Amino acid sequence: MGDERSATRAFVLHPEIKSDRDRRNADAALEEGVSLARALPELDVVGAQVVSLPKVHAGMLFGSGKIEEIKHWLEEAEAGLVLIDGPVSPVQQRNLEKEWKVKLLDRTGLILEIFSDRARTREGVLQVEMAALSYQRSRLVRAWTHLERQRGGLGFVGGPGETQIEADRRAIDLQLNNLKKQLSKVIKTRELHRKARAKVPYPIVALVGYTNAGKSTLFNRLSGAEVFAKDMLFATLDPTMRKVDLPNGDEVIMSDTVGFISDLPTQLVASFRATLEEVLEADIILHVRDISHPQTTQQKRAVLDTLRQLDVNPDVPMIEVLNKIDLLDTEDAGYLQALHKDDDTVFGISAVTGEGLDRLLNDVTSHLRVQTQTESLDLDWSMGAAQSWLQREEVIEAEDQTDHGWTLTVRWSATQRARFEKQFPGLLPNQEQPVAAEEDPNNDYHPLD
């Protein structure tokens, strides 16, 4: 059973729709579509073409002339699978498959296949299965004739029997409910692990970025881990966390996450929300960009759009990390070096060579120091609940007992201080009072509530 025999010959098409003002660069999009296809080992890409069309044809996607032209391409390449780098409706898929006599997969379906191939943890597998079922359910709109047939009812009530489309949809819903129950158990277990980790008060630094931007390579260099890193889209899927020592001796938890991509299927964004909770709870986000990529600006936009879909707190500091400077030509590298001198927010690095990492880590340290403050609190013996809360948060640096209670020195973030004030109003000293959490909900941000 060699891989050679089972390889499927695939042809990639990128529809460039001229009426779409937000369309991506066609050549770069096609290149990405081919990279997606090559991310599946069982596919052999035998051809790729950009197909320009003034508008989408409702029933067939392409016009009749283009359909004939593409049919010749597929026959010459002996392709058994067409991958369309864009959305394809169920009706369009059915019609094109009948016309071309090949199997067809759109961009969402291809990404789901890749995720299914890469998921390793139990949670990741369940989330991919749920996303795939949600995708299938959305396509049960009489795409195939058997879905229009009716099944006979049991005779208990009048009226027509259940249609096949309703039966299929109900079967998918049952599977989804079963998967949700399984996933909830896995999430509860991981939640216990997360709470245990929270008792060790390390700040979380989350790496995000476009797929193949070099996050895993950077993660490996900083943490000493051996996360799979390869020049391939979605090389890593399941999140990984490791402790990293900063230059000043402080420790942080660094989290490597799945890469984002343009037009990431909404089913996957929803399913992987729980997996990406480290991003939602991060103290600092490092947005890793492949600065050598010709579409780096468009990739940045796609990442920021996905973060907005995930409802990431906009107040969390985000540091832009321009990776792969070792791949820049001399002129571009010189421009980046000049930026370093004038702009403290630009961090050109090479995760491969290590260039620029010291400066980046020093800035992470500075951000974390700014985010915390030291404060003295006097609590009466009757305020034991407040003292216990501070202990659980592990923000107490020094504690002295007095005749009336405790004198505490605490070091905490603005978010922790606001949460304490909300739960125990009136216990904080009057000076340097923050805005009450009721007035400023960002001070009490709980994305998982």
Side-chain angles (χ1 to χ4, degrees):
M1 297 276 181
D3 291 339
E4 194 71 33
R5 195 185 73 170
S6 60
T8 299
R9 295 173 66 84
F11 201 103
V12 181
L13 299 175
H14 174 75
E16 185 186 22
I17 304 166
K18 297 295 186 180
S19 59
D20 182 5
R21 294 181 180 179
D22 297 325
R23 67 182 183 274
R24 295 181 292 154
N25 176 275
D27 292 334
L30 180 65
E31 182 182 344
E32 183 176 277
V34 171
S35 296
L36 282 171
R38 287 177 174 156
L40 282 175
E42 61 267 32
L43 294 185
D44 177 19
V45 179
V46 294
Q49 286 284 350
V50 171
V51 182
S52 297
L53 59 158
K55 64 177 182 178
V56 172
H57 294 257
M60 300 287 281
L61 182 61
F62 306 104
S64 57
K66 279 295 181 187
I67 288 176
E68 278 300 315
E69 185 179 5
I70 293 170
K71 187 175 183 178
H72 291 309
W73 296 344
L74 301 179
E75 290 173 350
E76 288 180 6
E78 298 181 349
L81 173 67
V82 174
L83 301 171
I84 295 187
D85 184 41
V88 179
S89 74
V91 172
Q92 291 168 346
Q93 178 177 345
R94 179 196 62 183
N95 291 338
L96 290 174
E97 285 182 342
K98 286 174 63 178
E99 190 70 30
W100 292 336
K101 305 293 190 297
V102 295
K103 179 66 179 169
L104 187 145
L105 209 57
D106 69 356
R107 182 181 175 88
T108 296
L110 176 58
I111 293 175
L112 285 170
E113 287 286 341
I114 296 170
F115 272 53
S116 179
D117 184 64
R118 299 285 162 76
R120 293 292 177 265
T121 65
R122 177 63 177 157
E123 183 179 8
V125 170
L126 289 171
Q127 287 170 328
V128 171
E129 288 181 11
M130 286 180 60
L133 283 172
S134 297
Y135 172 70
Q136 290 173 23
R137 191 186 191 283
S138 70
R139 303 182 80 75
L140 294 182
V141 285
R142 291 186 172 83
W144 293 272
T145 54
H146 83 279
L147 297 179
E148 299 172 9
R149 294 200 305 266
Q150 287 189 338
R151 300 173 59 199
L154 295 175
F156 298 124
V157 293
E162 182 184 50
T163 63
Q164 185 64 45
I165 187 172
E166 290 166 347
D168 288 357
R169 185 173 287 136
R170 187 162 50 81
I172 286 178
D173 288 341
L174 287 172
Q175 286 181 275
L176 278 171
N177 286 334
N178 182 42
L179 288 173
K180 286 176 182 176
K181 290 176 183 177
Q182 295 181 54
L183 185 60
S184 66
K185 293 178 182 178
V186 177
I187 289 176
K188 283 180 182 177
T189 301
R190 193 165 48 78
E191 179 73 10
L192 292 175
H193 292 164
R194 192 176 63 81
K195 286 181 178 177
R197 191 171 67 245
K199 291 181 180 179
V200 183
Y202 297 143
I204 294 176
V205 177
L207 300 179
V208 303
Y210 207 81
T211 181
N212 212 29
K215 297 186 310 303
S216 295
T217 304
L218 176 60
F219 181 82
N220 288 343
R221 176 170 279 274
L222 294 179
S223 66
E226 295 182 357
V227 172
F228 181 59
K230 190 176 179 181
D231 185 15
M232 179 173 64
L233 300 189
F234 300 118
T236 50
L237 184 58
D238 296 302
T240 309
M241 284 162 285
R242 292 288 187 276
K243 188 174 71 172
V244 172
D245 295 322
L246 296 178
N248 68 339
D250 287 349
E251 297 171 322
V252 298
I253 295 291
M254 187 160 287
S255 172
D256 184 23
T257 62
V258 61
F260 300 153
I261 196 168
S262 297
D263 305 320
L264 186 68
T266 54
Q267 295 93 341
L268 282 175
V269 174
S271 296
F272 276 80
R273 184 182 176 85
T275 304
L276 293 166
E277 70 178 11
E278 262 64 33
V279 177
L280 298 174
E281 296 193 347
D283 296 278
I284 294 178
I285 295 174
L286 299 187
H287 177 189
V288 183
R289 294 175 55 190
D290 178 358
I291 194 61
S292 69
H293 196 282
Q295 300 296 309
T296 183
T297 302
Q298 289 83 348
Q299 291 181 354
K300 172 184 176 179
R301 193 179 305 127
V303 171
L304 296 180
D305 286 344
T306 304
L307 290 176
R308 276 191 288 271
Q309 290 182 60
L310 290 168
D311 295 326
V312 171
N313 186 357
D315 292 333
V316 174
M318 185 182 299
I319 300 174
E320 208 163 86
V321 182
L322 310 182
N323 190 27
K324 303 190 183 182
I325 61 173
D326 53 306
L327 300 182
L328 296 177
D329 58 36
T330 306
E331 183 178 344
D332 289 335
Y335 171 72
L336 204 58
Q337 291 294 338
L339 274 181
H340 283 183
K341 298 178 182 178
D342 302 326
D343 190 344
D344 290 338
T345 65
V346 176
F347 292 90
I349 69 155
S350 168
V352 172
T353 67
E355 182 180 354
L357 291 186
D358 289 343
R359 182 171 174 265
L360 173 62
L361 290 178
N362 284 330
D363 191 71
V364 170
T365 303
S366 300
H367 269 85
L368 290 174
R369 281 296 172 183
V370 168
Q371 285 181 290
T372 60
Q373 66 182 80
T374 302
E375 200 164 355
S376 180
L377 298 179
D378 290 313
L379 301 179
D380 293 340
W381 292 118
S382 60
M383 300 171 184
Q387 191 262 0
S388 296
W389 188 94
L390 294 169
Q391 282 186 329
R392 286 196 302 273
E393 291 288 314
E394 298 201 7
V395 296
I396 300 176
E397 290 197 333
E399 176 179 320
D400 293 316
Q401 294 188 3
T402 66
D403 293 338
H404 304 288
W406 301 273
T407 297
L408 305 172
T409 302
V410 298
R411 184 175 192 88
W412 53 11
S413 66
T415 300
Q416 288 172 314
R417 193 181 195 277
R419 284 166 51 203
F420 180 85
E421 168 66 8
K422 183 176 182 179
Q423 191 161 343
F424 306 102
L427 297 189
L428 291 176
N430 291 328
Q431 66 273 20
E432 299 182 8
Q433 283 265 16
V435 177
E438 292 84 357
E439 299 172 16
D440 184 4
N442 287 329
N443 282 345
D444 191 29
Y445 182 71
H446 294 286
L448 299 183
D449 285 354

